[in-house]
Amino acid sequence: MSRKEREEIVTSLTERLQQIQAMYVMDYTGLDVDKITGLRREIRAVGSEMKVAKNTLLKIAVKDTAFEPLTEHFTGQTAVAFVEGDPAQAAKALTKFYKDEKKGNPDLSFSIRAGVLENMVLDTAQINQLGELPSKEVLLGQFVGMLAAPMTGFVSVLSDIPRKFLRVLTAVAEQKEEK
């Protein structure tokens, strides 16, 4: 690869880094072309992009950016996921892919190494936790449910007052009829 080609790659990586809000670093060792292509599709489906690049070029591209702490993870066969969309959805796609592949091949050496989300470095466990979170829609539904619960309880308490009063009146009426 010529110097000019390397410079173009670094320029395109640097431009891409300015457009994203998160980045995950993976070791794709042990994956064949079909599996990597499948992973790329899954990542693309959630509004992100996966690239394979030389470690030295990645190190140059992340220099003086929020993603510079990932430099130590650029070793071996490295792929990166550029996350423009929901970082949790991208993490979910990665963790799902990892679990599915691990079931079929327990000796798989594919791994999620690290990531950066909003200037915070994430380790593998944190990315897995992020991947286990429910979707944004489910979380919003749970939040609305939490907001509605006190109001529902209050309405229930208010509606119990007339019911109890009606029961008392019914009991008094039954007593008067018996006499």
Side-chain angles (χ1 to χ4, degrees), residues 19-22 46-49 82-90 117:
Q19 301 166 352
I20 62 173
Q21 58 182 335
V46 295
S48 301
E49 179 186 16
F82 298 115
V83 182
E84 280 187 61
D86 184 7
Q89 292 299 322
L117 171 62

Side-chain angles (χ1 to χ4, degrees), residues 24 87-96 98-99 112 117 120-135 139:
Y24 302 127
Q89 292 299 322
K92 188 177 299 246
L94 286 172
T95 55
K96 180 183 177 297
Y98 175 76
K99 286 178 184 176
I112 304 166
L117 171 62
M120 189 172 80
V121 178
L122 304 174
D123 62 11
T124 304
Q126 291 169 320
I127 294 171
N128 288 334
Q129 284 178 335
L130 189 60
E132 298 294 325
L133 285 176
S135 68
L139 287 174

Side-chain angles (χ1 to χ4, degrees), residues 9 27 33 48 50 72 76 100 112 114 141-142 145 147 149 157 166 169:
I9 292 171
D27 179 354
V33 174
S48 301
M50 182 178 139
E72 66 189 61
D100 291 347
I112 304 166
Q142 290 173 347
L147 288 178
V157 167
L166 184 61
L169 287 178

Side-chain angles (χ1 to χ4, degrees), residues 52-63:
V52 174
K54 290 184 172 260
N55 294 324
T56 53
L57 301 179
L58 283 169
K59 288 176 184 178
I60 294 168
V62 300
K63 192 170 178 101

